[in-house]
Amino acid sequence: MLNLSEDFWENKYKTNKIGWDLGEVSPPLKTYFDQLTNKDLKILIPGGGNSYEAEYLFNIGFKNVYVVDVSETALHNLKNRVPNFPLSQLIHANFFDLDDSFNLIIEQTFFCAINPNLREKYALKMKDLLCKKGKLVGLLFDAKLNEDHPPFGGNETEYTTYFESHFTMDVFTKCYNSYHNRQEMELFVKFIKK
C-alpha cells in the first residue's frame, strides 16, 4: 500500500530526500514562461514543492502565482527564498481539496508523485480548476519509472486516456530542452480546457 500522506512528503523535505528537486527552474518551463506576455494570469503550481518555477515567475513580474503543497516545509523554503511572496498564495492543502479558478496550471513533477490510481481524478480536477480556455502546461515523464514509490512513470498513450475528453491537446511532444538528467524522458504538454 502506497503511503503518500502529508507526513510522507513533509519528512522528505525535512530530511532533504528530494532527488527530484532540480534546485532551479526547469529549462523547458523557463522557455515557456519567457514567452508569456500577460503578467495578470492567475497561475497555479500544484504539488509545487520548493517551486523554483513560482520563484522565477514572481521575480519576472507575475504576481498572481499560487503554490499548493501538503508539505509546510516546502512552502516555508519558498517563502524564505522569496520573502515578498504573498503568504496568502502559499496554500498548505491537498490539491484535490482546492476550490478556485486559474488561467494557467503548471505541471512539474506533481502528476508523477501522486498515486497512479488518482490520475483520472487529477485530469478532472484540472478541468474544474481551469477557467474557460484555461491551460494545463508542463512536463510529464515519458518513461517507465517506479511501481511502488514516486516518481511513477507513464507514456503518451496512457496519458491520452485521462486528458483527451476534457482538453484539446494542443502540444503533446517529446521535450527537446529537458534538464540534463531528464533528457529523452519528458513530454512537454499544453492542454486547453474544452
Side-chain angles (χ1 to χ4, degrees):
M1 179 64 196
L2 286 173
N3 171 19
L4 300 176
S5 66
E6 181 173 331
D7 288 344
F8 171 87
W9 292 109
E10 185 63 14
N11 189 49
K12 290 274 186 195
Y13 283 95
K14 282 187 169 162
T15 58
N16 209 31
K17 291 189 176 9
I18 50 175
W20 65 86
D21 188 296
L22 298 180
E24 63 182 77
V25 60
S26 172
L29 290 174
K30 179 182 183 299
T31 299
Y32 176 74
F33 298 156
D34 287 347
Q35 53 87 43
L36 292 174
T37 53
N38 180 0
K39 301 280 168 109
D40 295 325
L41 289 171
K42 188 172 177 188
I43 302 171
L44 174 67
I45 303 176
N50 285 327
S51 207
Y52 302 97
E53 286 67 32
E55 177 179 11
Y56 184 78
L57 283 164
F58 188 78
N59 286 337
I60 62 170
F62 290 87
K63 299 306 180 201
N64 294 319
V65 180
Y66 293 76
V67 179
V68 62
D69 205 287
V70 294
S71 168
E72 271 193 279
T73 300
L75 295 169
H76 285 305
N77 290 345
L78 174 58
K79 184 66 179 162
N80 288 338
R81 287 195 329 270
V82 192
N84 294 342
F85 203 98
L87 267 179
S88 61
Q89 291 168 216
L90 296 174
I91 306 163
H92 179 232
N94 182 318
F95 161 78
F96 293 102
D97 297 333
L98 271 188
D99 182 20
D100 205 338
S101 170
F102 300 90
N103 305 113
L104 177 62
I105 301 179
I106 300 301
E107 170 52 50
Q108 162 69 337
T109 67
F110 176 55
F111 182 84
C112 72
I114 61 173
N115 187 319
N117 296 339
L118 295 172
R119 288 180 168 185
E120 185 110 13
K121 189 177 176 186
Y122 167 106
L124 271 169
K125 187 65 180 178
M126 287 296 177
K127 181 184 176 190
D128 289 346
L129 288 171
L130 284 165
C131 26
K132 191 175 181 185
K133 299 284 184 200
K135 295 180 184 119
L136 170 60
V137 176
L139 301 161
L140 296 173
F141 278 115
D142 184 24
K144 188 167 172 43
L145 300 173
N146 306 302
E147 290 183 19
D148 59 345
H149 67 278
F152 302 103
N155 58 60
E156 186 172 343
T157 306
E158 178 199 349
Y159 301 151
T160 300
T161 64
Y162 308 128
F163 295 104
E164 69 181 344
S165 57
H166 311 296
F167 294 88
T168 301
M169 297 159 96
D170 188 41
V171 179
F172 201 172
T173 187
K174 282 207 170 290
C175 193
Y176 70 88
N177 58 346
S178 296
Y179 193 73
H180 67 86
N181 66 355
R182 294 184 186 168
Q183 293 285 331
E184 306 296 315
M185 291 176 59
E186 291 181 316
L187 297 166
F188 187 83
V189 301
K190 181 166 85 171
F191 299 159
I192 303 168
K193 178 175 170 172
K194 284 185 176 173

